[in-house]
């Protein structure tokens, strides 16, 4: 049991710790709370939305909608509680929620009594809410109400505590500003301890008009996509980006004839997957598909591997055996890394392509074969021709139907669905239950350059699945083993999602920030000064030492800076991120 009967106020360092998780990123127009994207919304605008919901949907439906919205927000903040110091005691961890609710500007939360035990699931919580945003606005818009009105906030408390405790915990307002009380007072208990739990539960069940509309809309989308079901891609072939679709259209055109197809594209773009899809969507789908990686077979063995060998052809050839071409007879042979195909054997390959005939090594007999050849390469075959390593006649034969497969960075809209499908696959493989990716991780996946393409994405998601704790979302550091800063500017944020000190340590990106007009020299100086003062906890002498200047020098610069703050509204408007103390 972890009780607080006499509450102590939140210490300065605890709230600083949470505040440090908020990052404003002026250059990308984003605000981050840990790994979740946040919005700084005008309370008045939010109130207008709330009023319109009530006016159009009615009190009860609006209540349900807002409660569920709050619930989602609370459940997300519970993830942040999990991400905090694992050595902290349960009460400190739990208090993350009330602290965030306060930090987010919703309501000031003061615990009256909190007792819980996560192992047994026991919970009792009682809190005073001061300055309830929702209660005050409701009262202003609708006057005194006979029931509690802080719906979003109650949803938040339920969502947060339920996620934190791992079981449904429901809160009720026993006093509410909206009912004419001075403050709101809430009580939370496990759902089964409430007598009217069923009635209460209904609030959490989507059934409003809006939800029904959304359901109908989803059904329309599903019906539409099932109408186009003939169009469905083979499993593993995921993509709706124009470049992917263009490549796939070409592939479909080639599927039903025997033309030799040359797949071009970077490493990891899924050439073998395309070759298989080509095979499976054509008339040869019930015949063999044989894949050979030319770079994996030693040059002196490639002829016997591909064309077969007759007993006694060379020392050690103790038995006759067919090559891969014969084994693929009637089906498809996929030759990957065709650029590594040895010059000595290219003539024989050309003959198979031209005449559909081959002789096994050490054999006089000519065999007819019917194989559709798909070749693939990531190198420039014409360069190899110029270097005398590749026959031009073979090249023209192979190049009859080239298909260029786009790199992953050129099909951004496919990254999300691909990542999701890998997540699903590896969650099964590694017996993990994960809730997807954090906003920041998703964003990182989208902005990364993907030199290793789909294969790299696949490996990265598997790594994420392994590293992310059960029941959580995959975070950036679960995905990237290296520092994403290796790609300056690629993330728009530095390691901490900050434009603070970390950015200043990164020389090149700092330069880009100034050269690119994102920050002025004065703003950089301001960040340096503010950060030093911050780190020195306001001690100017210590801050000056950090910067290698004297105390009078720092005092002078700060004075000048503050004068600028006051006179230049443009500074404040355009660069809130340059002023870390905007948060304090
Ligand atoms: Zn209230």
């Amino acid at each position: 049991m972890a009780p607080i009967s006499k509450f102590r106020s939140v210490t300065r360092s605890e709230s600083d710790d949470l505040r440090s998780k908020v990052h404003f990123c002026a250059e990308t127009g984003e605000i981050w709370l840990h790994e979740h994207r946040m919005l700084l919304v005008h309370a008045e605008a939010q109130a207008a939305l709330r009023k319109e919901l009530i006016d159009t949907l009615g009190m009860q439906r609006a209540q349900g909608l807002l409660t569920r919205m709050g619930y989602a927000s609370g459940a997300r903040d519970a993830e942040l509680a999990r991400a905090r110091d694992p050595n902290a005691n349960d009460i400190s961890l739990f208090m993350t929620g009330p602290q965030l609710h306060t930090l987010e500007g919703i309501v000031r939360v003061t615990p009256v009594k909190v007792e819980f035990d996560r192992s047994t699931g026991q919970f009792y919580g009682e809190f005073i809410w001061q300055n309830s945003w929702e209660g005050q606005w409701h009262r202003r818009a609708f006057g005194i109400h006979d029931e509690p009105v802080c719906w979003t906030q109650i949803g938040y408390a339920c969502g947060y505590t339920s996620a934190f405790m791992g079981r449904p915990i429901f809160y009720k307002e026993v006093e509410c500003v909206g009912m004419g009380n001075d403050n709101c007072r809430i009580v939370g208990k496990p759902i089964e301890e409430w007598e009217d739990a069923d009635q209460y539960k209904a609030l959490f069940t989507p059934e409003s008009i809006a939800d029904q509309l959304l359901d109908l809309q989803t059904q329309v989308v599903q019906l539409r996509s099932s109408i186009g079901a003939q169009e469905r891609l083979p499993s593993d072939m995921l993509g709706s980006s124009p470049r992917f679709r263009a490549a796939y259209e070409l592939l479909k055109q080639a599927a039903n004839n025997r033309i030799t197809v040359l797949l071009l594209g970077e490493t990891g773009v899924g050439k073998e997957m395309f070759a298989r899809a080509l095979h499976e969507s054509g008339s040869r789908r019930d015949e063999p598909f044989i894949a050979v990686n030319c770079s994996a077979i030693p040059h002196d063995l490639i002829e016997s591997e591909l064309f077969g060998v007759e007993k006694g052809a060379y020392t050690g050839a103790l038995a006759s055996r067919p090559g891969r071409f014969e084994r693929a007879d009637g089906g498809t042979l996929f030759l990957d890394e065709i650029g590594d195909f040895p010059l000595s054997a290219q003539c024989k390959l050309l003959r198979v392509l031209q005449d559909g005939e081959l002789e096994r090594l050490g054999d006089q007999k000519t065999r007819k074969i019917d194989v559709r050849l798909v070749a693939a390469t990531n190198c420039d075959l014409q360069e190899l021709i110029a270097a005398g390593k590749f026959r031009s006649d073979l090249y023209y034969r192979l190049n009859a139907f080239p298909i260029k497969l786009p790199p992953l960075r050129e099909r951004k809209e496919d990254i999300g669905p691909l990542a999701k499908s890998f997540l699903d696959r590896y969650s099964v493989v590694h017996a993990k239950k994960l809730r997807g990716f954090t906003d920041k991780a998703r964003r990182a996946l989208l902005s990364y350059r993907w030199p290793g393409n789909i294969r790299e994405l696949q490996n990265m998601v598997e790594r994420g699945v392994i590293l992310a704790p059960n029941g959580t979302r995959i975070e950036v550091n679960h995905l990237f083993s290296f520092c994403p800063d290796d790609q300056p500017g690629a993330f728009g944020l530095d390691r901490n999602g900050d434009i603070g000190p970390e950015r200043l340590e990164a020389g090149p990106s700092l330069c880009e920030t100034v050269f690119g007009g994102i920050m002025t020299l004065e703003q950089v100086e301001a960040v340096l000064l503010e950060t030093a003062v911050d780190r020195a906890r306001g001690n100017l002498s210590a801050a000056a030492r950090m910067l290698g200047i004297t105390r009078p020098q720092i005092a002078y610069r700060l004075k000048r800076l503050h004068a600028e703050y006051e006179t230049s509204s443009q500074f404040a408007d355009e660069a809130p991120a340059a002023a870390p103390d905007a948060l304090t």
Side-chain angles (χ1 to χ4, degrees):
M1 200 54 109
I4 307 185
S5 35
K6 202 171 153 210
F7 181 67
R8 61 182 176 80
S9 60
V10 175
T11 67
R12 168 88 191 175
S13 75
E14 276 168 350
S15 83
D16 280 352
D17 174 38
L18 276 181
R19 282 176 208 194
S20 71
K21 301 227 184 296
V22 181
H23 299 299
F24 289 85
C25 190
E27 76 207 61
T28 61
E30 288 162 316
I31 305 171
W32 296 94
L33 172 61
H34 186 52
E35 301 234 339
H36 297 308
R37 187 169 174 180
M38 304 296 283
L39 302 173
L40 191 60
V41 182
H42 284 275
E44 194 143 350
Q46 190 74 8
L49 173 67
R50 189 180 185 279
K51 182 167 185 312
E52 193 163 336
L53 280 177
I54 293 172
D55 291 344
T56 52
L57 299 176
M59 281 283 179
Q60 209 181 341
R61 284 197 164 113
Q63 179 180 7
L65 219 97
L66 291 166
T67 308
R68 291 192 291 281
M69 184 181 127
Y71 191 95
S73 167
R76 281 225 150 183
D77 277 357
E79 288 175 24
L80 187 51
R82 269 187 229 125
R84 295 186 89 185
D85 180 9
N87 300 320
N89 64 41
D90 271 0
I91 280 288
S92 310
L93 285 181
F94 177 80
M95 285 308 293
T96 306
Q99 285 163 23
L100 283 172
H101 220 183
T102 304
L103 179 70
E104 288 162 15
I106 312 288
V107 65
R108 179 167 193 266
V109 191
T110 309
V112 177
K113 188 175 178 191
V114 187
E115 284 184 348
F116 65 86
D117 185 337
R118 286 214 267 186
S119 57
T120 62
Q122 265 173 287
F123 185 90
Y124 180 86
E126 191 176 335
F127 304 84
I128 301 277
W129 278 350
Q130 286 164 292
N131 272 330
S132 158
W133 167 81
E134 209 171 7
Q136 288 172 353
W137 278 96
H138 192 98
R139 192 154 141 182
R140 197 175 304 174
F142 298 99
I144 301 281
H145 205 75
D146 50 5
E147 282 178 35
V149 300
C150 304
W151 306 323
T152 320
Q153 294 170 198
I154 278 290
Y156 178 97
C158 296
Y160 177 81
T161 311
S162 300
F164 184 87
M165 293 295 294
R167 61 176 304 200
I169 307 289
F170 280 19
Y171 283 84
K172 267 192 189 186
E173 278 186 277
V174 292
E175 288 168 29
C176 179
V177 176
M179 297 196 301
N181 299 108
D182 290 340
N183 294 306
C184 308
R185 176 187 289 265
I186 63 167
V187 171
K189 296 188 284 192
I191 179 173
E192 64 277 4
E193 293 178 27
W194 292 103
E195 281 172 15
D196 50 355
D198 281 348
Q199 181 195 336
Y200 213 38
K201 260 192 222 164
L203 284 177
F204 292 87
T205 319
E207 47 94 53
S208 70
I209 299 173
D211 290 309
Q212 285 167 19
L213 282 176
L214 286 175
D215 280 351
L216 287 172
Q217 197 178 25
T218 313
Q219 282 177 30
V220 170
V221 171
Q222 279 167 354
L223 283 172
R224 274 206 193 118
S225 64
S226 66
I227 291 167
Q230 306 94 309
E231 260 288 286
R232 202 179 305 148
L233 301 171
S235 60
D236 272 15
M237 296 280 283
L238 254 178
S240 59
S241 62
R243 301 228 28 204
F244 174 85
R245 295 300 308 196
Y248 184 67
E249 284 306 315
L250 281 175
L251 181 137
K252 277 201 306 189
Q253 286 171 28
N256 273 317
N257 52 59
R258 235 197 80 178
I259 195 165
T260 299
V261 171
L262 180 62
L263 299 174
L264 301 164
E266 295 173 8
T267 305
V269 291
K271 291 186 282 264
E272 180 166 346
M273 186 183 75
F274 258 82
R276 273 183 198 281
L278 180 67
H279 173 75
E280 277 160 23
S281 37
S283 53
R284 293 170 179 257
R285 68 177 72 86
D286 297 324
E287 304 298 328
F289 174 88
I290 307 280
V292 178
N293 185 335
C294 300
S295 67
I297 301 174
H299 280 192
D300 50 348
L301 291 183
I302 206 152
E303 276 195 61
S304 58
E305 271 301 310
L306 286 182
F307 306 111
V309 66
E310 208 51 35
K311 185 178 174 183
Y314 52 83
T315 329
L318 300 174
S320 302
R321 61 186 161 82
R324 311 264 178 122
F325 263 106
E326 280 180 71
R327 278 188 265 158
D329 199 15
T332 304
L333 180 72
F334 172 56
L335 291 181
D336 200 359
E337 312 272 12
I338 192 76
D340 287 337
F341 202 87
L343 194 58
S344 57
Q346 286 178 14
C347 179
K348 208 160 179 175
L349 177 59
L350 182 63
R351 190 167 156 237
V352 184
L353 290 179
Q354 274 172 345
D355 308 328
E357 288 178 352
L358 61 76
E359 284 103 34
R360 289 180 182 175
L361 220 62
D363 194 8
Q364 302 300 315
K365 193 175 140 198
T366 298
R367 294 164 200 262
K368 275 271 173 201
I369 51 143
D370 167 28
V371 168
R372 130 74 65 79
L373 187 79
V374 180
T377 182
N378 59 1
C379 50
D380 185 345
L381 291 180
Q382 277 175 316
E383 262 177 34
L384 293 179
I385 294 171
K389 290 179 183 162
F390 209 85
R391 293 176 65 118
S392 60
D393 47 4
L394 177 59
Y395 168 74
Y396 291 116
R397 192 81 207 180
L398 289 173
N399 200 34
F401 199 94
I403 302 179
K404 181 142 179 21
L405 307 185
L408 192 54
R409 65 181 167 279
E410 288 175 16
R411 35 184 299 214
K412 295 231 168 204
E413 41 291 59
D414 297 337
I415 292 174
L418 282 166
K420 168 79 171 57
S421 85
F422 292 138
L423 173 69
D424 292 344
R425 185 187 305 174
Y426 289 117
S427 298
V428 174
V429 171
H430 299 288
K432 275 280 185 69
K433 258 195 177 157
L434 294 168
R435 300 169 55 210
F437 300 90
T438 63
D439 296 338
K440 203 177 206 174
R442 216 175 296 142
R443 147 107 195 227
L445 290 175
L446 286 179
S447 51
Y448 182 57
R449 296 275 302 159
W450 298 112
N453 290 297
I454 297 182
R455 197 177 303 143
E456 188 182 14
L457 173 64
Q458 186 174 355
N459 294 341
M460 203 179 269
V461 173
E462 180 170 22
R463 177 188 143 87
V465 167
I466 292 169
L467 292 181
N470 235 338
T472 64
R473 284 172 211 273
I474 296 180
E475 298 183 4
V476 173
N477 63 335
H478 299 141
L479 293 169
F480 292 85
S481 56
F482 51 88
C483 168
D485 270 5
D486 295 349
Q487 301 198 315
F491 278 63
L493 299 170
D494 69 8
R495 265 192 295 272
N496 296 328
D498 207 351
I499 72 160
E502 294 289 348
R503 166 62 51 91
L504 297 174
E505 279 157 24
S509 61
L510 171 64
C511 295
E512 291 316 311
T513 307
V514 178
F515 300 160
I518 295 163
M519 284 171 86
T520 65
L521 206 52
E522 288 72 30
Q523 287 166 353
V524 172
E525 187 193 340
V527 174
L528 273 171
L529 291 170
E530 298 282 1
T531 307
V533 173
D534 235 38
R535 287 203 182 173
R537 296 180 189 280
N539 180 331
L540 284 196
S541 303
R545 270 199 301 280
M546 267 180 225
L547 293 167
I549 55 179
T550 64
R551 193 186 180 286
Q553 279 171 330
I554 195 172
Y556 167 74
R557 282 166 191 263
L558 282 170
K559 199 174 153 199
R560 199 186 58 192
L561 180 69
H562 289 141
E564 270 170 32
Y565 269 135
E566 278 150 30
T567 54
S568 160
S569 61
Q570 184 212 8
F571 184 91
D573 282 343
E574 288 192 357
D581 69 349
L583 282 178
T584 56

